[in-house]
Amino acid sequence: MFEDSILDSGGKGKKATTVVVSTIVHFALLGVLLLIPLIFTEQLEAAKYLMALTAPPPPPPPPPPPAAAPVQSRPVPVKVVQVDPGAIVAPTEIPKQIAHIVDEPTTGVVGGVVGGVVGGTGGGIAGGVLGGILTDANKNTAGAPPPPPPPPPPPPPPPAVVQRIGGDVAQANLISSPKPQYPALARAARVQGVVLLNATISKEGTIKDLKVISGHPLLNEAAMEAVRQWRYKPQMLNQQPIEVITTITVNFTFQQ
């Protein structure tokens, strides 16, 4: 019994010792962990400042822009202006230099040639054409008057004068007026009335350009056949016969 109690007390003592040792070791490790930052403060501050002063890396470059589509150049139309070389054209800009024109002296021989030249004329003038007349076709000597101008063309004939006159004036100049034949169909239909005609009296007094203005269709042709045979005195203007336009009335009645 005594030995068992000694063993129990010995086991409990060992267990208490182990707990104490373990507690001391944990406190020692915790103290070391707390003292390390306090001992190496300079290294921690330097690392912090080094991290603050280090510049961040530059951003990546932007992607290149898309290539522009090639622009096709269109040919510019060129306007060609034809200029008459003999025409006078105003300059478009002031020239930088103005040309000085000097009249060249004539190439004639001053004073003539002793003994004359072949083909020359007697009493020639200074500065004349060497050799005189070049062809036999032109035999006009120097100083000869030019040929007279051609006569002017004759004036055109005056236009024909056409004048309108009244029916009474034309009736006064009437020489012959055969009466129209009454159409049998119109007589059977008991048709009567007035036919109005427009006519041109020629210079000779005959009828031309006869047209119907108004009238019955059964009477128009008979009236025109009769009026074509009428004759008038020529209408005079400034002692000259002229054509006149007049209106002719043909009356159809049963008393004919």
Side-chain angles (χ1 to χ4, degrees):
M1 297 280 302
F2 180 76
E3 292 178 358
D4 294 336
S5 62
I6 293 174
L7 291 174
D8 292 336
S9 62
K12 291 180 180 180
K14 290 181 180 179
K15 185 176 181 181
T17 304
T18 303
V19 171
V20 172
V21 172
S22 176
T23 303
I24 293 172
V25 171
H26 281 85
F27 276 104
L29 292 175
L30 182 61
V32 171
L33 293 176
L34 292 175
L35 291 175
I36 287 175
L38 298 176
I39 295 172
F40 300 98
T41 55
E42 295 181 359
Q43 287 76 2
L44 294 175
E45 293 293 333
K48 182 174 67 173
Y49 288 125
L50 182 61
M51 292 176 61
L53 294 176
T54 303
V71 180
Q72 297 181 357
S73 59
R74 297 181 179 178
V76 179
V78 179
K79 185 178 181 181
V80 179
V81 180
Q82 297 182 357
V83 181
D84 188 4
I88 299 175
V89 181
T92 58
E93 60 182 5
I94 301 176
K96 297 181 179 179
Q97 295 181 357
I98 300 176
H100 182 64
I101 301 174
V102 179
D103 295 336
E104 297 180 358
T106 57
T107 57
V109 180
V110 179
V113 179
V114 178
V117 296
V118 179
T121 59
I125 59 175
V129 179
L130 182 63
I133 306 303
L134 299 179
T135 59
D136 294 338
N138 300 324
K139 292 187 177 180
N140 293 330
T141 58
V161 179
V162 180
Q163 188 176 10
R164 178 174 287 276
I165 61 175
D168 297 337
V169 178
Q171 189 70 22
N173 295 332
L174 186 60
I175 299 175
S176 174
S177 57
K179 292 184 178 182
Q181 296 292 330
Y182 211 112
L185 185 59
R187 187 183 295 274
R190 309 294 294 176
V191 175
Q192 60 181 355
V194 176
V195 178
L196 195 62
L197 303 174
N198 186 77
T200 300
I201 303 175
S202 66
K203 297 179 182 180
E204 293 77 17
T206 58
I207 297 295
K208 64 179 185 178
D209 298 335
L210 191 61
K211 298 178 181 179
V212 177
I213 300 176
S214 63
H216 198 279
L218 296 178
L219 304 175
N220 293 340
E221 189 61 32
M224 294 179 67
E225 288 293 336
V227 172
R228 287 191 183 98
Q229 303 176 16
W230 291 10
R231 294 295 180 267
Y232 292 85
K233 293 180 181 179
Q235 184 71 24
M236 306 300 291
L237 179 65
N238 297 330
Q239 305 299 324
Q240 295 293 332
I242 61 172
E243 293 183 353
V244 293
I245 300 175
T246 186
T247 303
I248 300 174
T249 303
V250 180
N251 191 11
F252 285 87
T253 60
F254 291 119
Q255 285 77 19
Q256 289 182 251

